Amino acid sequence: MTTVAVKDLTLEFGAVRVLDQLNIDIPQGEFLVLLGASGCGKSTLLNCIAGLLDITEGEVHIGGRNVTWEEPSDRGIGMVFQSYALYPQMTVEGNLSFGLRNARMPKAEITERVQRAAEILQIGPLLKRKPAALSGGQRQRVAIGRALVRDVDVFLFDEPLSNLDAKLRADLRVELKLLHQRLKNTMIYVTHDQVEAMTLADRIAIMRGGVVQQIASPDEIYNRPSNKYVAGFIGSPSINFFEGRIEGTDSPRFASGGATFDLTGYQTAGAPLRPGEGWLGIRPEMVVTGPEAASQPFTTTCHVDLVEPMGADTLVWSHVAGAPFRFRMSGQARVTAGDDITIGFSPAEGSLFDKQTENRL
């Protein structure tokens, strides 16, 4: 069952088209993340679904009902914003119950809903405090609770964790995922943080210039990106690209910077590989170092330009075939700038993109 459906949605501000013919179906209970760089249209799309912006063309359906021109309060959604937007003069309990009291809900039901939300979010001991006496993480929980008490099927999150420090962001990320597993509500979540997207989402919709580039599971997007932009956007450190030419058909290979990469076994996205200009993407995590490197289809010795210790991992910056190349090593590896290291990887496990269209081959 589809809970939210966006059909041919277009939004224009004057002569500027911000969203362009978007079509997204979100099943019941799915956690969908809208991911992209600033200005790509992800928050704008969320505001269109919420009814905070009037769309130019298309329709928005929630729960099988066309809500395109309905008020936000009538759409059956709960929304959590980037800013906590709590009433400073009210207690936590007052903030949670404010919307319900305005809707003239019976007091007994208001109390029940507030207590249930407080239990789920573990903020029961905070109900009598005011926002000034709360930490950033506690305030964000209250903001989530304010949406939770509405008891709706669809929750919209607009970068709710971006104002928090790194550790608190990681902790609340886990809590949000547990919350979704417990409630099984449909959740649409906007972020520019790919780690949040990969860890939270059932599916990710990567946006660019008001258009969805790819919508798929985190695993699919990471391992089989639909185009060069998606490949470069997902992954930290980002994917390594070689610019060159595909040669041969029966035994395809990729030539770049004087090196030849064997593509035997490469799984294409459709038609068989044909000779032509393109890009080969190799993720840093695919690289093997040390004695095991010799067993890989492509092996070379590279010069270490820079080392970034990251605790569990060590990130190494180098060059391969004349192109900048990054790869990971164990955090226990003894490597310094100026060393020469033997590395290996399987080019067939990488991603090939057409030079002109930049679409996956």
Side-chain angles (χ1 to χ4, degrees):
M1 176 181 173
T2 299
T3 306
V4 179
V6 174
K7 302 182 178 182
D8 297 321
L9 190 150
T10 296
L11 177 68
E12 296 175 347
F13 292 140
V16 179
R17 178 164 288 199
V18 181
L19 300 175
D20 190 9
Q21 294 287 304
L22 296 185
N23 287 277
I24 302 175
D25 288 331
I26 305 170
Q28 170 70 36
E30 181 174 74
F31 199 125
L32 178 76
V33 173
L34 304 177
L35 175 66
S38 297
C40 71
K42 55 189 185 296
S43 290
T44 303
L45 173 57
L46 197 75
N47 288 333
C48 289
I49 295 172
L52 301 177
L53 290 173
D54 291 336
I55 66 175
T56 306
E57 296 176 11
E59 296 178 351
V60 176
H61 292 245
I62 297 178
R65 186 164 51 95
N66 188 344
V67 299
T68 307
W69 303 112
E70 290 190 8
E71 292 296 319
S73 58
D74 299 327
R75 296 194 178 201
I77 59 169
M79 191 159 183
V80 181
F81 297 94
Q82 179 176 347
S83 60
Y84 314 127
L86 302 178
Y87 296 105
Q89 75 277 18
M90 294 184 185
T91 62
V92 168
E93 186 176 15
N95 271 279
L96 293 177
S97 63
F98 181 73
L100 305 181
R101 285 187 277 114
N102 277 355
R104 311 224 181 263
M105 188 172 287
K107 288 185 178 180
E109 187 171 352
I110 292 175
T111 300
E112 180 184 345
R113 289 195 183 189
V114 168
Q115 292 297 330
R116 185 178 63 200
E119 179 184 350
I120 291 172
L121 295 169
Q122 299 178 13
I123 55 175
L126 310 177
L127 289 177
K128 300 304 179 184
R129 294 190 192 179
K130 291 187 177 180
L134 304 177
S135 68
Q138 290 169 338
R139 291 180 195 178
Q140 194 56 274
R141 285 193 204 177
V142 176
I144 294 170
R146 194 168 48 189
L148 209 58
V149 295
R150 296 204 60 211
D151 198 20
V152 293
D153 291 329
V154 180
F155 291 103
L156 309 180
F157 296 89
D158 190 3
E159 303 202 49
L161 309 183
S162 59
N163 289 337
L164 306 177
D165 61 64
K167 185 181 185 306
L168 191 52
R169 198 159 58 236
D171 291 343
L172 276 183
R173 205 164 57 223
V174 172
E175 290 188 21
L176 271 176
K177 189 151 191 171
L178 290 172
L179 180 65
H180 178 250
Q181 291 176 356
R182 180 173 178 176
L183 298 178
K184 302 190 186 317
N185 292 63
T186 303
M187 295 185 177
I188 307 175
Y189 187 101
V190 164
T191 184
H192 61 270
D193 186 330
Q194 57 171 291
V195 175
E196 278 184 24
M198 295 290 285
T199 54
L200 287 172
D202 294 322
R203 284 193 304 162
I204 300 173
I206 294 188
M207 297 184 64
R208 182 189 188 190
V211 177
V212 174
Q213 301 291 307
Q214 184 175 5
I215 180 167
S217 68
D219 181 70
E220 177 78 8
I221 282 180
Y222 181 81
N223 292 300
R224 295 182 63 82
S226 62
N227 57 42
K228 184 172 178 281
Y229 176 80
V230 173
F233 193 83
I234 288 290
S236 180
S238 60
I239 194 170
N240 301 293
F241 285 115
F242 296 103
E243 183 178 1
R245 181 174 178 81
I246 302 169
E247 299 176 343
T249 51
D250 296 334
S251 300
R253 55 198 177 274
F254 189 84
S256 174
T260 301
F261 304 93
D262 184 7
L263 297 175
T264 302
Y266 177 79
Q267 298 294 314
T268 64
L273 292 179
R274 294 181 179 178
E277 301 294 321
W279 299 88
L280 172 63
I282 301 294
R283 293 208 177 274
E285 295 77 19
M286 296 170 51
V287 178
V288 178
T289 61
E292 296 84 1
S295 63
Q296 297 296 307
F298 177 82
T299 305
T300 188
T301 299
C302 63
H303 185 76
V304 176
D305 299 324
L306 180 68
V307 176
E308 288 186 277
M310 303 177 69
D313 298 319
T314 295
L315 181 59
V316 178
W317 294 68
S318 182
H319 282 76
V320 171
F325 194 81
R326 298 167 293 274
F327 58 93
R328 290 185 183 275
M329 297 183 69
S330 166
Q332 307 305 314
R334 297 293 176 260
V335 57
T336 58
D339 290 349
D340 290 324
I341 296 182
T342 300
I343 65 170
F345 55 84
S346 174
E349 295 178 4
S351 297
L352 282 170
F353 305 99
D354 181 82
K355 181 65 180 294
Q356 300 301 321
T357 66
E358 297 193 349
N359 290 331
R360 184 181 182 88
L361 296 174

